[in-house]
Amino acid sequence: MLENHRQHAKHSVKCAVITVSDTRTKETDKSGKLMMEFLEKEGHEIRQYEIIPDEKIIIQETVKGMAANSDVEAVLINGGTGISYRDVTIEAVQPLFSKEIPGFGELFRMLSYQLDIGSASMLSRATSGVVNNRIVFSTPGSRGAVKLAMEKLILPELGHAVREITKDLE
């Protein structure tokens, strides 16, 4: 049955990428670049890309703006998911969700534990949900975390998730 769902998945998704960081620039944003490389390699389109500071209001306004853009179907965020004082991405995006997708964070932490950083994975608050009928993924900002999330979770389901969110809206 899942294969039947996947055959109707979108093959090319219009994406927006947000890097949340107080220090990165477009020249030094290795994780944002990696995220975009993965998307483009799979045939998805980058419609917007921004680097914004770890500020709750700025994160919320940026996500809401991208989710309101009719030319964007998915918003991918990297950075600000840890437990330090400045990590506020989760506090910013979760209140925007009309639906939360808890399985993304659960699976990300499990895979991160098994394949990458071991018990430190419990400190990750990666999450996903729906904002204005757009899928939103929020991953940690390290290259290893972005690679793991993109390869194992986001890319295999991105088109399927967009299709599921929009199928009743057509």
Side-chain angles (χ1 to χ4, degrees):
M1 184 144 152
L2 181 58
E3 289 307 315
N4 188 23
H5 280 282
R6 283 195 176 137
Q7 75 183 10
H8 298 292
K10 288 190 60 84
H11 297 292
S12 179
V13 174
K14 297 177 277 189
C15 301
V17 173
I18 302 169
T19 294
V20 177
S21 174
D22 289 330
T23 58
R24 293 187 185 155
T25 65
K26 290 197 176 181
E27 292 75 36
T28 62
D29 180 21
K30 294 178 181 174
S31 294
K33 286 178 187 171
L34 183 62
M35 197 171 256
M36 290 186 287
E37 286 171 15
F38 272 112
L39 289 166
E40 289 174 333
K41 183 179 175 189
E42 292 294 316
H44 303 297
E45 301 173 48
I46 310 302
R47 297 298 177 102
Q48 287 184 269
Y49 165 57
E50 289 191 40
I51 300 173
I52 59 173
D54 288 289
E55 297 290 342
K56 186 176 177 183
I57 301 294
I58 295 171
I59 296 166
Q60 286 181 325
E61 292 305 314
T62 304
V63 171
K64 285 193 287 190
M66 288 180 172
N69 182 344
S70 62
D71 205 33
V72 170
E73 298 169 301
V75 179
L76 287 78
I77 307 165
N78 73 88
T81 64
I83 60 170
S84 77
Y85 180 78
R86 295 286 298 152
D87 290 328
V88 296
T89 299
I90 304 310
E91 290 75 15
V93 299
Q94 275 184 329
L96 303 178
F97 291 161
S98 59
K99 294 179 188 284
E100 188 166 7
I101 305 170
F104 172 75
E106 294 163 358
L107 287 169
F108 175 81
R109 283 181 284 281
M110 180 194 74
L111 291 168
S112 184
Y113 175 80
Q114 292 174 336
L115 304 175
D116 194 17
I117 59 171
S119 60
S121 63
M122 77 171 108
L123 304 179
S124 169
R125 298 181 306 138
T127 192
S128 181
V130 178
V131 176
N132 194 31
N133 300 311
R134 309 300 191 275
I135 185 78
V136 175
F137 292 102
S138 185
T139 72
S142 74
R143 284 179 53 87
V146 167
K147 181 179 188 298
L148 178 73
M150 294 300 288
E151 288 180 337
K152 300 289 186 186
L153 299 170
I154 296 173
L155 290 173
E157 295 301 327
L158 183 59
H160 182 208
V162 169
R163 171 71 181 137
E164 286 298 305
I165 291 168
T166 60
K167 71 181 182 183
D168 297 329
L169 304 174
E170 299 168 345

